[in-house]
Amino acid sequence: MLFYITQMSRAALLIYGDALSTSSRQDVVDYFKMALNNTMTTYEKGLHLLSSKGVPISAPTIPYPQKVDFVEKESFISVIGGKFRPLTAIEIKHLQVNINTNALGKSMMLGFSQGIAGIKLCRCGTFLWL
C-alpha cells in the first residue's frame, strides 16, 4: 500500500506540475500550488517510510567513465539505420520508473483477480453484474 501511495503521488506531481504551468487565473494557480505542496509532502513521507521499512527506491547507478568518449557521428537517432547507441542516464531512469510502475500494476491485477475469484458474474445487457 505504501509503494502504491508513493507511485500515485509521483504521478500526481507530474499532473499538478503540468496543470500549474498552464494555469493563468490566480485562484487556480493557488489551488495547484497547494495541491503540489501536499503531494510533495506525501511523496517525501512515502519515500522515508519505504526506506525505514527496508525498501528504498534508489536511482540506478551508472559507473563513472574511465575515459572520455567523443561523439563521432552527428546523428543521435542511429537506431533507425540499425545502429545502436548506449542509453542515456535519463533513459535508464525512465526504464526504472516504468519497471516499478509495471510491478505495481501486476501486483494490483493479481490482488483484484484473487479478490473476485469466487464471485459469479452475469451479463445483463451491456453491463456485468455481481
Side-chain angles (χ1 to χ4, degrees):
M1 186 169 20
L2 188 54
F3 187 68
Y4 173 79
I5 291 170
T6 306
Q7 286 294 102
M8 291 299 108
S9 62
R10 178 193 304 264
L13 285 171
L14 295 171
I15 293 168
Y16 285 138
D18 186 46
L20 177 66
S21 69
T22 56
S23 301
S24 58
R25 279 185 23 201
Q26 190 57 47
D27 60 333
V28 176
V29 168
D30 291 340
Y31 170 75
F32 285 123
K33 280 172 50 178
M34 181 264 315
L36 199 52
N37 285 328
N38 289 344
T39 305
M40 283 190 300
T41 303
T42 303
Y43 180 72
E44 281 186 86
K45 285 180 180 179
L47 283 181
H48 293 303
L49 280 170
L50 281 170
S51 182
S52 70
K53 300 284 183 189
V55 187
I57 300 178
S58 60
T61 57
I62 300 171
Y64 192 77
Q66 301 297 323
K67 64 182 179 96
V68 177
D69 277 337
F70 291 100
V71 176
E72 296 174 7
K73 295 184 179 182
E74 294 179 13
S75 174
F76 190 71
I77 310 174
S78 59
V79 176
I80 295 172
K83 297 177 183 170
F84 296 99
R85 60 170 176 77
L87 295 173
T88 63
I90 194 71
E91 289 170 335
I92 293 170
K93 179 62 180 169
H94 285 167
L95 286 172
Q96 182 215 13
V97 169
N98 288 338
I99 289 168
N100 288 345
T101 303
N102 289 341
L104 176 64
K106 182 179 177 182
S107 297
M108 289 181 65
M109 287 188 291
L110 180 63
F112 286 134
S113 70
Q114 289 172 347
I116 197 83
I119 298 174
K120 288 191 167 203
L121 298 175
C122 70
R123 182 175 290 278
C124 301
T126 56
F127 299 102
L128 286 174
W129 298 93
L130 298 177

